[in-house]
Amino acid sequence: MFVSHHWSAFIQWCLSMQISLHRYLVFYLLQINNHQYSGGVWLLVGSFFYGVLHAIGPGHGKFIVTTYLSTQQETPLAGRVVPFLGSLMQGVSAVVFVFVLAIALNLSSGDLSESRWYVEKISAVLIGCFGMFILLNALRQTPLRMKSFTPLSTAAIHPVHNENCGCGHNHGVGYDGRSGNWLTHLGVILAIGARPCSGAIMILVFSNALGFISWGIAAVMTMALGTALSILGLSVLVTRTRDSVGKLWLSQTPARVRLITTGLKVAGGLLIVLFAVVLFVTTIPISANGDFIAAGC
């Protein structure tokens, strides 16, 4: 009750700290421009904590990680590495966005802002496609497509758990995280990383205007590292919670467990698709204070 009562206030504090840190990051870039290179150290430190705070607040990455890991069967290693790489991908996508549009094509600030809006629309479509991929995979694995299961069989009375039981529990025999494959993992990484943080874009644009884009890239990737470590902690929490809840299924027959896990996969895919629709509809081209780029942060 205490946590739920103060959670909104905590999120507001995180958002206000992000705004303050962003101003400090600009100040540290100006220090570097004045040959005060101690500002470079503080730039990286501030960027790291900015990334951590950015991961705490609401965002698409946290939703995708939580929904995917809580409804899909994944190995512990993949459940940690894939969200981590997806968060780092956000930094890479911000760098690519600025290099292609601001440096290679030399677009103006207004054109960059409009391009950011299109990128966020496209990222919402990619997230929706990933949700559809999860949903279709789950529907192909529905129990209706499997062989019929007789409740009064010996297996129903005394369930046999092995690498072929299909119940989704980790029995230590050939468990390979059936929901996860390289294509699914790539989809998670792209769904998280295709939508760059607008704060990172602004730092890169400003550092490029001052003539030292390398410091901007270092700051953005340090920012992405802070976000990735926070997302890593979230993924550990989600997977452990999922495994704890999964222990309640040990008394269920394999057929019933297959039905439950398939239902969770379908629900996860639907949630991601609905979330993508909300993102696509609510993406705005301009913020309340007239800042096009900050509107997507």
Side-chain angles (χ1 to χ4, degrees):
M1 180 64 68
F2 177 82
V3 175
S4 61
H5 180 70
H6 293 279
W7 181 250
S8 60
F10 175 68
I11 295 297
Q12 288 298 322
W13 177 82
C14 289
L15 294 175
S16 63
M17 284 297 297
Q18 284 186 67
I19 295 173
S20 299
L21 271 176
H22 200 278
R23 293 170 181 167
Y24 276 110
L25 295 181
V26 172
F27 173 72
Y28 296 143
L29 286 171
L30 291 174
Q31 282 188 324
I32 298 172
N33 190 49
N34 292 328
H35 307 290
Q36 301 177 27
Y37 294 108
S38 60
V41 177
W42 288 110
L43 174 68
L44 299 182
V45 172
S47 297
F48 178 82
F49 284 106
Y50 182 94
V52 171
L53 291 173
H54 184 70
I56 295 175
H60 74 287
K62 278 79 71 179
F63 183 88
I64 293 171
V65 169
T66 303
T67 304
Y68 178 76
L69 292 181
S70 60
T71 59
Q72 310 294 317
Q73 297 168 334
E74 270 295 359
T75 60
L77 179 62
R80 290 157 175 73
V81 173
V82 172
F84 184 85
L85 293 178
S87 299
L88 290 181
M89 182 69 184
Q90 279 192 290
V92 175
S93 61
V95 172
V96 171
F97 177 88
V98 173
F99 257 87
V100 171
L101 299 180
I103 298 177
L105 300 180
N106 196 27
L107 297 183
S108 65
S109 177
D111 291 332
L112 277 178
S113 303
E114 186 177 358
S115 300
R116 189 275 311 162
W117 182 70
Y118 282 113
V119 166
E120 294 196 0
K121 289 284 190 181
I122 294 172
S123 69
V125 173
L126 290 176
I127 293 172
C129 291
F130 173 67
M132 287 297 300
F133 174 77
I134 295 295
L135 180 60
L136 293 176
N137 273 351
L139 292 176
R140 280 198 294 265
Q141 299 171 8
T142 54
L144 294 177
R145 292 178 174 266
M146 301 176 183
K147 292 181 180 179
S148 60
F149 183 82
T150 305
L152 297 179
S153 66
T154 304
I157 301 173
H158 301 289
V160 178
H161 294 286
N162 53 43
E163 66 272 19
N164 298 316
C165 70
C167 71
H169 298 133
N170 186 351
H171 308 296
V173 277
Y175 181 76
D176 59 357
R178 295 173 187 80
S179 292
N181 53 54
W182 71 268
L183 190 59
T184 305
H185 296 159
L186 180 62
V188 176
I189 293 172
L190 291 178
I192 297 172
R195 190 180 178 94
C197 172
S198 297
I201 293 176
M202 292 182 69
I203 291 297
L204 285 168
V205 170
F206 190 70
S207 63
N208 178 60
L210 292 176
F212 39 86
I213 188 65
S214 57
W215 277 106
I217 295 174
V220 166
M221 294 312 300
T222 305
M223 191 183 298
L225 177 62
T227 302
L229 291 175
S230 299
I231 295 296
L232 177 62
L234 174 65
S235 65
V236 171
L237 177 63
V238 172
T239 52
R240 288 186 177 179
T241 303
R242 181 202 62 197
D243 293 341
S244 297
V245 174
K247 292 178 181 178
L248 301 175
W249 302 350
L250 291 176
S251 61
Q252 303 293 324
T253 62
R256 183 170 294 180
V257 171
R258 282 197 298 268
L259 180 63
I260 295 173
T261 54
T262 301
L264 287 175
K265 293 174 185 178
V266 171
L270 283 174
L271 282 173
I272 292 176
V273 170
L274 291 174
F275 180 73
V277 172
V278 172
L279 276 182
F280 187 88
V281 173
T282 58
T283 298
I284 56 176
I286 186 170
S287 64
N289 62 357
D291 188 347
F292 283 81
I293 296 178
C297 190

